Amino acid sequence: MTSSEAKAAELFTERYRIGPTDVTRRIERTVIGADWGANGYTTLAQAGKLGAELGLGPGVRLLDLGAGQGWPGVYLALTTGCQVILADVPTGGLRSAAARARLEGVAARAVPVSASARRLPFAGGTFDGVAHTDVLC
Amino acid sequence: MLRDSRRVLRPGGRTAFYTIHPVAGLTPAQRRRAARSGAPAVATARTYEDLLAAAGFTQISRTDCTDGFAATAQAWLSEWDASFAALAALYGEQTVAERQRKRRIQLRAIRDGLLARSLFTATRP
């Protein structure tokens, strides 16, 4: 892991420590238009655009780098039917993402993996699409 | 990160991402301010188009979404100000105040034309 990745991991570990709450969900609905654990700038419409650009649909394999608490990776699995690997360094965010995936009934298609985006633990040619949103590394 | 994205994509696979970056054509001083005001990744002097090409991607395109970025940044700031007490109870007053301070710096840099946010898309040949 690089020093910038380590700094980002530390920042987001603290940020994800609490997990989603009523007040953060309410703010997120106002700011982003949905409450999937977003803390960046990707709105609901922009998440949809990402899915369209990547041609996501059933059977399509997506890698979401810096997946955070599951926005927009888990949302895209639910709305497009794609399979998504949620990769990130802070595990607290991934736990929230996995919980939301279970809640939405997409846990079999939305799988968290603790990994650095610079050295991905996947074989070449594994994915049809790679997405990330405001990743700090 | 872009090189490893390319490696794990199948031929014909696509990457699409939103990212904050300095506006093109800034002076070195403006670029430094942009880097201080945004995310660490904006410190790079090269454009994402160059970085994607160097990582082996083709069919590279950029869609500017800075207007939406400014609106969303303003909304985070306003909503966190409006719920300051509740958020301070969750995260601690100092943490919330520091995050809001950084948001104000970032918003000023967007409004001063230093920071942009774009959607980049590219294909692994």
Side-chain angles (χ1 to χ4, degrees):
Chain A
M1 203 189 305
T2 64
S3 65
S4 67
E5 258 186 311
K7 268 171 70 179
E10 188 184 322
L11 172 71
F12 282 94
T13 294
E14 175 57 21
R15 203 171 279 185
Y16 297 145
R17 185 173 55 84
I18 308 285
T21 64
D22 287 347
V23 64
T24 56
R25 283 193 198 92
R26 182 181 54 71
I27 291 173
E28 222 185 298
R29 283 195 294 272
T30 306
V31 176
I32 299 293
D35 60 354
W36 292 75
N39 52 55
Y41 305 92
T42 305
T43 62
L44 187 62
Q46 289 176 340
K49 169 113 175 125
L50 210 53
E53 288 286 348
L54 293 171
L56 299 184
V60 176
R61 296 159 301 172
L62 171 68
L63 174 63
D64 183 6
L65 293 176
Q69 300 182 109
W71 177 254
V74 178
Y75 168 81
L76 290 171
L78 178 69
T79 53
T80 73
C82 76
Q83 299 172 32
V84 61
I85 297 290
L86 307 155
D88 210 341
V89 176
T91 53
L94 291 180
R95 273 197 293 277
S96 296
R100 184 63 182 258
R102 283 194 298 276
L103 188 70
E104 302 290 344
V106 295
R109 289 190 287 107
V111 177
V113 173
S114 179
S116 160
R118 290 176 191 249
R119 272 188 303 280
L120 294 167
F122 307 108
T126 300
F127 297 96
D128 302 300
V130 176
H132 41 102
T133 55
D134 304 314
V135 168
L136 302 184
C137 68
Chain B
M1 184 168 85
L2 297 178
R3 282 185 192 283
D4 227 26
S5 292
R6 180 194 172 283
R7 182 183 65 79
V8 300
L9 277 170
R10 65 164 168 81
R14 304 248 299 154
T15 188
F17 58 91
Y18 290 95
T19 194
I20 298 165
H21 58 91
V23 169
L26 298 182
T27 66
Q30 286 175 319
R31 173 172 290 282
R32 282 195 296 277
R33 189 183 146 203
R36 281 199 308 272
S37 309
V42 305
T44 176
R46 299 173 71 186
T47 66
Y48 273 93
E49 286 95 330
D50 285 350
L51 294 170
L52 281 161
F57 283 99
T58 58
Q59 295 179 270
I60 297 161
S61 85
R62 179 176 82 90
T63 307
D64 185 87
C65 38
T66 306
D67 288 349
F69 175 34
T72 308
Q74 176 64 67
W76 278 122
L77 181 65
S78 301
E79 291 300 316
W80 270 52
D81 273 346
S83 295
F84 190 93
L87 291 163
L90 281 175
Y91 300 110
E93 189 171 334
Q94 198 180 337
T95 302
V96 176
E98 177 61 13
R99 196 148 168 209
Q100 291 293 78
R101 188 183 70 82
K102 287 183 177 166
R103 283 189 170 128
R104 286 189 177 85
I105 290 170
Q106 187 181 55
L107 194 55
R108 272 199 297 277
I110 302 167
R111 296 212 165 121
D112 288 347
L114 303 179
L115 278 183
R117 185 172 185 265
S118 297
L119 169 65
F120 289 92
T121 60
T123 301
R124 182 232 202 267

